[in-house]
Amino acid sequence: MDFADVLKERRSVRAYDGRPVPRDMLERITNAAVVRAPSAGFSQGLRLVVVTDSATRKEIAIAASEEELVAQGRPRWKADAPVHVVVLTREADYHERYQRADKLKITGGTELEWPAPYWYVDAGAAVMALMLAAIDEGLVTGIFGVTDVPALRRALDLPDDLQFVAVVTMGYPTTEADDSSKGASVFSQRRKSRGDVVHWERWR
């Protein structure tokens, strides 16, 4: 697909065809995040867990309060997504990288004061890379967070030094996908004007 077409298709989809996604396709998609997403100082703090097992997907969905949301009348979709890519980051990789001699030479012998938590910045970029790569493969994607991180850790047997970022869902499109991705929130939220978001040369 042309890049403009891939971007045009990027939206959060909450209904999927149940067909399994081939392993080689998932390898290409995750490779886009691992190899092509930015990494500050080449710290390489990104970690991914690809989950296709239905029981584990259900555990992740439970950690994301799916049962409570369904009880409130919201659609069930998280556990049904054929693929969960759990995006994680290891903050310590960044501190270790920026305490090495080449970086300390630039920063006067002490680790830089991080202007933003770049372990999350890079992970966010990886999320977008995953989505765009999946769309390029003919899949549709969504994203959700979890409210019970300890339950997620137990479900995936995660090491203590990894921080959770997001779950990217993906699968083949279904005829229900267009409707399910519209009006998913019970609140009406309009897109902000470009003038509120994009500024040129200076803030004012």
Side-chain angles (χ1 to χ4, degrees):
M1 296 175 67
D2 289 338
F3 183 64
D5 293 330
V6 171
L7 278 179
K8 193 180 300 182
E9 293 298 319
R10 212 306 304 164
R11 54 195 176 84
S12 291
V13 173
R14 296 174 177 85
Y16 302 87
D17 186 292
R19 286 177 291 163
V21 178
R23 172 68 177 260
D24 62 335
M25 184 181 291
L26 294 175
E27 294 280 4
R28 291 192 296 271
I29 291 168
T30 52
N31 194 59
V34 173
V35 177
R36 296 303 177 189
S39 175
F42 204 42
S43 299
Q44 302 178 83
L46 179 69
R47 303 290 190 277
L48 304 174
V49 180
V50 183
V51 179
T52 58
D53 176 73
S54 60
T56 308
R57 296 194 327 257
K58 184 173 182 179
E59 288 187 75
I60 295 170
I62 290 172
S65 301
E66 179 146 84
E67 297 306 316
E68 292 88 338
L69 292 169
V70 169
Q72 296 170 18
R74 304 289 290 277
R76 184 186 301 278
W77 67 277
K78 295 169 185 172
D80 293 339
V83 180
H84 289 183
V85 182
V86 183
V87 181
L88 309 156
T89 187
R90 184 175 184 270
E91 178 182 344
D93 281 349
Y94 289 77
H95 299 301
E96 291 166 6
R97 175 67 185 97
Y98 278 81
Q99 289 169 15
R100 291 182 182 172
D102 61 325
K103 292 298 183 183
L104 293 176
K105 185 176 181 181
I106 298 171
T107 57
T110 58
E111 183 182 353
L112 85 167
E113 293 186 14
W114 293 87
Y118 270 78
W119 36 100
Y120 289 116
V121 173
D122 289 347
V127 164
M128 192 63 163
L130 286 168
M131 289 180 161
L132 297 181
I135 292 166
D136 192 49
E137 294 279 358
L139 304 180
V140 290
T141 67
I143 185 171
F144 65 85
V146 302
T147 51
D148 190 347
V149 175
L152 178 76
R153 290 187 177 280
R154 291 191 297 271
L156 301 180
D157 194 24
L158 296 177
D160 291 339
D161 61 351
L162 296 184
Q163 291 84 45
F164 169 74
V165 179
V167 179
V168 177
T169 56
M170 55 187 68
Y172 290 101
T174 178
T175 53
E176 301 174 27
D178 286 343
D179 291 338
S180 70
S181 62
K182 296 175 182 176
S185 174
V186 294
F187 303 103
S188 176
Q189 181 72 13
R190 301 175 70 94
R191 186 177 296 278
K192 293 181 179 179
S193 71
R194 279 183 52 83
D196 288 336
V197 179
V198 181
H199 299 257
W200 296 88
E201 312 300 347
R202 300 178 62 176
W203 187 260
R204 291 186 175 85

